[in-house]
Amino acid sequence: MIVTPGSVTLADLESIYREQRSVTLCPEARPAVEIAAKVVAQAAAGGEAVYGVNTGFGKLASQKIAPEDTEKLQENLILSHCCGVGDALSVPLTRLMMVLKLLSLGRGASGVRWDICALLEGMLASGVVPVVPHQGSVGASGDLAPLAHMAAVMTGAGEAVIDGQRMPGNEALAQAELTPVVLGPKEGLALINGTQFSTACALAGLFEAQRAVENSIIIAAMSTDAIMGSTAPLAAEIHSLRGHQGQIDVAAKMRALMAGSEIRESHVVDDHRVQDPYCIRCQPQVVGAALDVVRMAGRTLEIEANAVTDNPLVLTGEGRIVSGGNFHAEPVGFAADQIALALAEIGAISQRRVALMVDPTLSYDLPPFLTPNPGLNSGFMIAEVTTAALMSENKHLANPCVTDSTPTSANQEDHVSMAAHGAFRLMRMAENLSVIQGVEAMCSSQGVEVRAPLKTSDALQSVVDRLRVDVKTLTDDRYLAPDIQTAANLVRNGAFCEVVAHD
């Protein structure tokens, strides 16, 4: 994929993330990069102190560095900042982080040579993936530790993975026939200063949340049919009177999915129930609100993905190098917290539908715990408990991170965003949510099948059929954990979304 810095879309980024696509900058980006590099070279040759070019860093910014020590300054910066701990970031997330750094450098305000961009392109193309521990960033002054581990490999230090094998960075580059760089003035700082770790994790969380919304619409429609719920609350006028676009969109999609359902038509009249529980009736209001929040976060992250977030910045129009604070990941932290709330709430209402379907007092004649022989069999009894456990875990994980600032670096960096772990937790939340939704899909499919000979809509039947390829109907009790994981994988991989789109 050839990308233009400053113009990359969320769709582009999702494709890069999910398909692990290689990326090169458009040729038009090169002149701006080289002009900024010349400004830095001139500053390095001059006598004036310029932060990051010929000074120390952070609290040591007042320390002037001799010209002959410029390269050593950048090398020391990278090595000293490789202090990350914890499990390594996944390959797709690391590659996305590298792409985001490439996009930022390609804007021509960081002052690096084109060789730096070319090496990142080469690493992406040849599959050299730095080993980046996921803990160690507080999301201000950039994601210093994670990005330092990336930059270290570019210099031949650190560790990397290539073809599934973990090895020293210099060996990985050699295997890919790439040459390590010797960092020039400001280049080390440009590589490690920025929000690319936090933004990559937040983007991945966003993509998972978008898919979770789609799955929620599909599976909730199945659950509505399973308990013979009413579609009256999906009436378009109800939602247009309120006006929230997410709510309007969710209701419209559910109406379309349930159109033609024999199950629904069988109880339009003479149904003694007046209203369904909120988890059925208020699905558009709850998941629609989550969709609006996800869209809002997406706009923030699309801007951030195209932003220049290192420091100082090279203002080529003025020929100046100016210190600022674009490295502060507060926008990313807020976006991550918003996505976390959306994931938690999508899971909360999904779990209540699972509880509804297994409860014979509320499920409108579905068998207890959806088993044909209750008593001897427990059916989905403990599967529902599992969803409750994961729902509660996600509620705890959804607590805001961006408000938890703490001073660092001898109080020079006295307010930080905590965007890094705020964004990274989204992966765990999305995994938990996929299990909740997978169990709901299993329960709702079982419930729809109980309603035979009445049929659900063609669109929803295609989802039931897709699930049944890998997860069979539950008759007698069986070892259920593998089925739950399979259903969760179908949710997270978008299998249900694909069959509905095809239908």
Side-chain angles (χ1 to χ4, degrees):
M1 181 186 291
I2 299 174
V3 295
T4 301
S7 302
V8 176
T9 66
L10 288 175
D12 294 333
L13 294 164
E14 184 169 13
S15 175
I16 291 165
Y17 170 65
R18 294 198 184 279
E19 301 169 32
Q20 298 186 48
R21 300 182 67 177
S22 296
V23 167
T24 56
L25 297 178
C26 65
E28 293 79 8
R30 184 165 185 167
V33 171
E34 293 182 334
I35 290 170
K38 288 180 181 178
V39 174
V40 170
Q42 291 168 359
E48 183 180 348
V50 179
Y51 177 69
V53 176
N54 53 14
T55 70
F57 306 103
K59 195 73 170 180
L60 304 176
S62 60
Q63 301 293 317
K64 186 78 160 47
I65 307 300
E68 62 270 20
D69 290 330
T70 299
E71 290 181 359
K72 188 64 176 176
L73 173 69
Q74 300 298 317
E75 178 187 354
N76 287 347
L77 174 68
I78 300 303
L79 296 177
S80 68
H81 283 56
C82 286
C83 295
V85 297
D87 294 335
L89 202 60
S90 70
V91 169
L93 272 174
T94 305
R95 288 178 60 88
L96 180 58
M97 181 184 77
M98 295 166 69
V99 170
L100 294 175
K101 177 54 72 175
L102 181 62
L103 289 169
S104 182
L105 299 178
R107 291 287 300 275
S110 299
V112 303
R113 294 163 296 157
W114 186 256
D115 290 350
I116 302 295
C117 300
L119 180 55
L120 278 170
E121 291 175 344
M123 291 168 66
L124 289 164
S126 57
V128 176
V129 182
V131 175
V132 178
H134 79 272
Q135 292 172 296
S137 173
V138 295
S141 200
D143 294 316
L144 296 172
L147 290 170
H149 284 274
M150 178 199 76
V153 174
M154 299 174 69
T155 68
E159 290 185 294
V161 173
I162 183 169
D163 296 329
Q165 300 296 312
R166 184 166 173 167
M167 63 187 71
N170 61 336
E171 293 180 17
L173 292 177
Q175 187 168 317
E177 299 182 349
L178 297 171
T179 303
V181 292
V182 176
L183 298 174
K186 194 187 174 297
E187 289 179 336
L189 190 58
L191 286 169
I192 71 170
N193 210 231
T195 67
Q196 286 77 34
F197 173 90
S198 297
T199 306
C201 293
L203 281 167
L206 173 77
F207 302 145
E208 297 294 343
Q210 290 172 332
R211 182 163 286 178
V213 169
E214 295 170 356
N215 278 307
S216 182
I217 292 168
I218 295 166
I219 300 170
M222 291 168 57
S223 297
T224 300
D225 244 6
I227 63 112
M228 288 189 155
S230 175
T231 55
L234 301 177
E237 190 173 3
I238 291 175
H239 306 287
S240 63
L241 282 169
R242 195 173 197 186
H244 293 296
Q245 191 60 50
Q247 178 179 329
I248 292 168
D249 293 343
V250 170
K253 292 296 184 184
M254 289 186 68
R255 288 196 305 273
L257 285 168
M258 297 187 71
S261 168
E262 292 179 2
I263 297 174
R264 172 61 192 130
E265 294 304 317
S266 72
H267 62 98
V268 170
V269 296
D270 296 329
D271 191 330
H272 67 273
R273 296 170 297 172
V274 178
Q275 293 180 327
D276 293 315
Y278 288 179
C279 64
I280 298 293
R281 190 168 17 129
C282 299
Q283 163 76 356
Q285 286 82 358
V286 174
V287 174
L291 176 56
D292 284 337
V293 166
V294 169
R295 285 170 170 167
M296 188 186 312
R299 287 192 289 272
T300 296
L301 294 176
E302 186 174 66
I303 292 170
E304 189 73 7
N306 286 284
V308 184
T309 57
D310 61 288
N311 181 63
L313 296 180
V314 182
L315 309 182
T316 54
E318 305 174 22
R320 293 196 301 146
I321 302 173
V322 182
S323 288
N326 282 3
F327 51 73
H328 201 297
E330 196 82 356
V332 182
F334 274 119
D337 281 348
Q338 289 175 307
I339 296 167
L341 291 172
L343 291 171
E345 281 298 274
I346 294 168
I349 197 168
S350 174
Q351 197 283 327
R352 296 319 303 155
R353 287 191 293 267
V354 173
L356 177 70
M357 286 184 281
V358 301
D359 186 343
T361 63
L362 299 173
S363 63
Y364 200 55
D365 298 328
L366 291 177
F369 301 104
L370 294 166
T371 178
N373 190 8
L376 179 63
N377 293 297
S378 296
F380 289 95
M381 180 186 293
I382 304 305
E384 185 267 330
V385 174
T386 297
T387 65
L390 296 179
M391 173 189 69
S392 184
E393 183 177 315
N394 271 4
K395 288 178 181 178
H396 287 282
L397 289 170
N399 281 306
C401 294
V402 78
T403 54
D404 189 27
S405 178
T406 187
T408 62
S409 194
N411 282 301
Q412 177 74 4
E413 298 154 11
D414 59 351
H415 183 279
V416 298
S417 71
M418 295 300 180
H421 69 263
F424 186 80
R425 64 164 164 179
L426 299 176
M427 294 298 96
R428 181 175 168 189
M429 294 186 69
E431 187 174 347
N432 289 345
L433 176 54
S434 69
V435 174
I436 297 170
Q437 291 185 315
V439 172
E440 186 188 355
M442 293 169 69
C443 291
S444 59
S445 295
Q446 190 100 350
V448 164
E449 290 169 338
V450 168
R451 303 300 181 186
L454 296 174
K455 298 178 181 178
T456 188
S457 68
D458 290 343
L460 296 181
Q461 186 60 50
S462 70
V463 179
V464 176
D465 293 342
R466 177 63 189 88
L467 178 68
R468 292 292 174 244
V469 172
D470 297 299
V471 180
K472 303 307 178 186
T473 301
L474 184 64
T475 52
D476 291 333
D477 283 349
R478 62 175 185 258
Y479 189 61
L480 210 51
D483 290 334
I484 291 173
Q485 191 57 60
T486 297
N489 291 340
L490 291 172
V491 165
R492 198 162 186 187
N493 295 336
F496 299 150
C497 303
E498 288 178 11
V499 296
V500 166
H502 178 74
D503 183 79

